[in-house]
Amino acid sequence: KIFPSNIANKIKSRAEQGTLLFTQQESEDIIAWLEEKYSNQNKYNNFFIGTVLMIGLLGTFTGLLGSISSMGSIVASLAGSDVDIGKIMADFSIPLSSMAVGFGSSLFGVISAILLSIKGYLLNKAQESLLVGVENWLQEKTIEQVSEDNKAGALIPATTLQKHQSSY
C-alpha cells in the first residue's frame, strides 16, 4: 500500500515466485519514486514553517499597531493643563496589552518554526537512512540486464545469480 501500483505489483509478483530480482531501470524507478515522495513531504514542512513565521509576524504588527494607536491617545491627553497621573498610568495598560499580543504571536511563530525545523531535520535523517537501506537492498537484488533469449523476464533464484548474471 506504500508503493504505487506498478512498483507494488512487481514486488508482489516476484515475491510470490520466491525471487526478488530487479533490473537496473526498475531499481532506479523505485529510488526515484521514494526521492519524489520525500521531496514532497519536505515541501509541506517548509510551507508550514513559513506559515507560522508569517502568522507570528502578522500578530506582531497587529499588536504594535494597536499599541501605537493607544499611545497616540495618551500623548494627546497630556496637552491640557490638568494631567492626572493615575489616569495616564491606567491608560498605559491598553498599549502594553497590545504589545504583549504582538510579542506573544512572535514567540508562537518562532517556537513553532523551531519545532517544525527539528521535526523536518529528524524526518530527513530517517528518510535518508531508509533510502540508503532500500538502495543497499536493491543493489543486492539488481541484475544488469535481461538477455535477448529471456525477454519474458523470468528470474533466476538469488543463489544462482552470480553464475547466470552474465546471461542476464
Side-chain angles (χ1 to χ4, degrees):
K1 293 185 179 183
I2 295 172
F3 289 111
S5 62
N6 61 336
I7 295 173
N9 288 338
K10 286 178 192 176
I11 294 173
K12 182 180 177 188
S13 68
R14 293 184 184 165
E16 288 171 352
Q17 294 173 4
T19 305
L20 280 173
L21 297 177
F22 302 94
T23 65
Q24 187 66 34
Q25 184 60 48
E26 290 170 337
S27 296
E28 290 171 5
D29 290 345
I30 292 171
I31 297 301
W33 179 82
L34 283 172
E35 288 174 343
E36 181 184 342
K37 283 298 246 186
Y38 295 158
S39 174
N40 289 339
Q41 288 176 352
N42 291 334
K43 288 177 188 176
Y44 289 128
N45 195 40
N46 292 336
F47 168 76
F48 288 120
I49 289 171
T51 301
V52 296
L53 286 174
M54 289 299 120
I55 289 171
L57 191 58
L58 179 64
T60 300
F61 287 137
T62 303
L64 290 177
L65 183 62
S67 178
I68 291 171
S69 170
S70 299
M71 293 294 281
S73 65
I74 292 171
V75 170
S77 71
L78 297 175
S81 59
D82 273 351
V83 176
D84 183 9
I85 295 295
K87 182 176 179 336
I88 292 172
M89 294 305 284
D91 288 345
F92 268 115
S93 68
I94 296 170
L96 289 175
S97 67
S98 292
M99 287 194 314
V101 167
F103 290 120
S105 66
S106 290
L107 191 59
F108 162 77
V110 170
I111 289 173
S112 298
I114 289 170
L115 292 175
L116 286 172
S117 295
I118 291 170
K119 175 236 176 236
Y121 173 78
L122 294 174
L123 180 64
N124 283 338
K125 288 308 229 182
Q127 289 171 343
E128 287 174 13
S129 176
L130 177 65
L131 194 56
V132 167
V134 170
E135 284 176 340
N136 290 340
W137 180 78
L138 282 172
Q139 191 173 28
E140 295 172 4
K141 306 292 184 187
T142 301
I143 52 178
E144 295 299 319
Q145 62 188 13
V146 177
S147 67
E148 288 299 319
D149 59 334
N150 191 15
K151 283 296 184 184
L155 298 174
I156 298 169
T159 56
T160 60
L161 176 62
Q162 294 298 330
K163 182 178 173 187
H164 298 294
Q165 193 166 13
S166 60
S167 70
Y168 263 68

